[in-house]
Amino acid sequence: MTIVTPFLLDSSRPAESAKPSAAAHLSDAQIEELGRELDAIRESVIATRGAKDAAYIRRVIATQRSLELAGRATLLFAKHKPAWIAGTGMLTVAKILENMEIGHNVLHGQWDWMRDPDIHSTTWEWDFVTPSRAWQHTHNDLHHTWTNVVGKDRDVGYTILRMDEDQEWTPRNLGNPLYNALLAPVFEWGIAIYDLELDEYREGRKPKAELMRGVKALGAKFLKQAAKDYAATPAAATLTGSGKQALAATLTANAVRNVWAHAVIFCGHFPAGADTFTEAQIEGETRGDWYVRQMIGSANISGSKLMHLMTGNLSFQIEHHLFPDLPSNRYAEVAVKVREICERYELPYTTGPLPKQVASAWAKVFRLALP
């Protein structure tokens, strides 16, 4: 697995005209100075990681596991409406915490510095149907390297949606809003199928043997997930006459988790203000250019500390794309410095409350359904 950090793609620089419009006013020297400032921010966080950060992630994990255990135990009595509501709520929150603040960030290597084999990017398997290793490839290695580069970043529409004007329109794109609405409650399955890279196989860039290994890994992962959510918990609840209600609860918890994850991800990548790029614009991309692309190609969500926790701190999507392997609990302090840099270099810093960002992302889904 590759941990993505700012890098030098080429020693040459593209022509001034190739720069993204939002950064066209910056000289090469300014962009490289901006890169040095962001490098310094990153190094300062790395130098100060320690016991307080380790205690944070262990506390979140302990809270998540307690909520999951309590939720499943309460669902043993799910035939009683208060128990169904409480159990489903606790299980839903536990699944959101595991996916967003724990799983996503552990798999980015944010906590590898602790050298704890139980909280390490090479050993963690999250509560999401797509296998961790497959997701790390498409997300860490590809998306975070080629963020919003149309033609290289397959996350622009997930091969299902048209999410940029540079993507060729076809009549099937008229279904954009419907596809997105259907995707949200089964988002984990959308990501799992996407991670198989079926389009790469069809175009001959992925060997059949590799595809079959992916399918086998996905099948094994699904069986484990299904055994826990759709067999063990309902079976135990059957002893109290609550089997059907417990099954409905686990299905509901997964669906709500999926809708939440879908909303957070779309808010970070597709609302108004999040730029996209052509392959020509990244020719000769330097460390500073890469940083600029992450800043103007991502969007944040403003809100409370609780909201930031429940998004896995992906409400600080700009900071996450700049520093994907820094501990997520440090993004809030980093955001103050990043925003100041954006203001000083006259670069956009796209942020807004959750309802506004969700509405903006959905507006793009509808708008790009048309030619």
Side-chain angles (χ1 to χ4, degrees):
M1 182 199 65
T2 301
I3 299 297
V4 177
T5 54
F7 54 93
L8 185 67
L9 287 175
D10 196 287
S11 57
S12 61
R13 258 296 281 134
E16 292 294 319
S17 60
K19 292 178 183 177
S21 58
H25 61 285
L26 296 178
S27 67
D28 292 350
Q30 286 176 309
I31 289 175
E32 294 316 297
E33 178 57 30
L34 176 151
R36 285 190 285 272
E37 290 189 46
L38 291 170
D39 278 344
I41 291 174
R42 183 174 187 277
E43 290 304 316
S44 70
V45 174
I46 290 175
T48 56
R49 292 180 305 197
K52 185 176 180 180
D53 301 297
Y56 168 81
I57 189 60
R58 289 195 171 105
R59 184 167 62 250
V60 173
I61 291 173
T63 299
Q64 184 274 329
R65 289 174 176 171
S66 297
L67 281 169
E68 181 172 4
L69 180 61
R72 292 186 189 277
T74 303
L75 289 178
L76 296 179
F77 308 96
K79 67 179 181 180
H80 303 291
K81 190 173 182 180
W84 191 94
I85 293 172
T88 304
M90 286 187 284
L91 185 57
T92 300
V93 172
K95 284 178 172 288
I96 289 173
L97 282 176
E98 198 288 327
N99 278 179
M100 309 301 285
E101 181 66 335
I102 304 171
H104 172 274
N105 296 328
V106 169
L107 293 176
H108 262 296
Q110 293 183 7
W111 305 100
D112 286 1
W113 58 274
M114 293 168 57
R115 302 195 178 190
D116 183 340
D118 293 329
I119 314 174
H120 200 275
S121 62
T122 60
T123 59
W124 192 272
E125 189 55 68
W126 60 349
D127 183 24
F128 219 47
V129 73
T130 187
S132 293
R133 305 293 87 78
W135 180 84
Q136 284 175 314
H137 167 64
T138 60
H139 185 79
N140 294 10
D141 299 343
L142 301 182
H143 169 62
H144 273 269
T145 300
W146 309 113
T147 307
N148 282 20
V149 179
V150 178
K152 281 187 172 288
D153 183 4
R154 298 169 64 255
D155 279 21
V156 180
Y158 298 99
T159 71
I160 299 174
L161 305 168
R162 181 175 184 247
M163 294 303 298
D164 189 83
E165 292 177 353
D166 287 338
Q167 293 174 308
E168 183 181 359
W169 183 87
T170 64
R172 69 176 295 274
N173 297 132
L174 291 170
N176 239 29
L178 175 62
Y179 307 150
N180 201 37
L182 294 174
L183 175 64
V186 294
F187 191 52
E188 64 177 320
W189 276 103
I191 295 300
I193 294 171
Y194 166 76
D195 285 347
L196 290 175
E197 299 180 303
L198 296 176
D199 57 319
E200 294 290 291
Y201 169 70
R202 286 194 299 268
E203 294 173 19
R205 293 191 292 267
K206 184 168 186 170
K208 183 176 181 180
E210 186 178 341
L211 173 64
M212 295 313 297
R213 282 195 297 271
V215 171
K216 184 178 179 180
L218 173 57
K221 181 66 182 294
F222 168 67
L223 289 176
K224 290 181 180 179
Q225 296 294 106
K228 179 174 60 174
D229 282 343
Y230 309 134
T233 298
T238 300
L239 299 176
T240 63
S242 301
K244 291 182 180 179
Q245 294 86 345
L247 176 59
T250 55
L251 286 166
T252 300
N254 280 323
V256 174
R257 180 272 314 277
N258 288 337
V259 170
W260 176 253
H262 175 275
V264 171
I265 298 305
F266 271 61
C267 285
H269 298 88
F270 302 127
D275 209 349
T276 57
F277 314 91
T278 66
E279 293 186 47
Q281 288 175 318
I282 64 168
E283 291 180 9
E285 189 174 64
T286 65
R287 180 190 300 264
D289 294 318
W290 186 88
Y291 271 138
V292 168
R293 178 158 58 84
Q294 306 311 309
M295 289 192 287
I296 66 179
S298 308
N300 284 6
I301 307 170
S302 58
S304 66
K305 288 184 178 180
L306 177 60
M307 194 278 297
H308 294 314
L309 172 67
M310 295 301 289
T311 65
N313 280 288
L314 292 180
S315 45
F316 297 107
Q317 189 71 231
I318 295 171
E319 290 70 27
H320 174 62
H321 269 272
L322 289 171
F323 313 115
D325 59 344
L326 291 186
S328 59
N329 62 309
R330 305 294 289 273
Y331 285 154
E333 65 184 75
V334 168
V336 176
K337 300 174 183 178
V338 171
R339 188 163 193 166
E340 187 277 328
I341 288 175
C342 285
E343 291 174 354
R344 184 153 39 85
Y345 284 88
E346 298 181 350
L347 291 171
Y349 186 88
T350 304
T351 188
L354 182 65
K356 176 185 175 183
Q357 300 297 70
V358 169
S360 180
W362 269 94
K364 180 176 286 188
V365 169
F366 274 89
R367 185 172 71 252
L368 292 174
L370 303 175

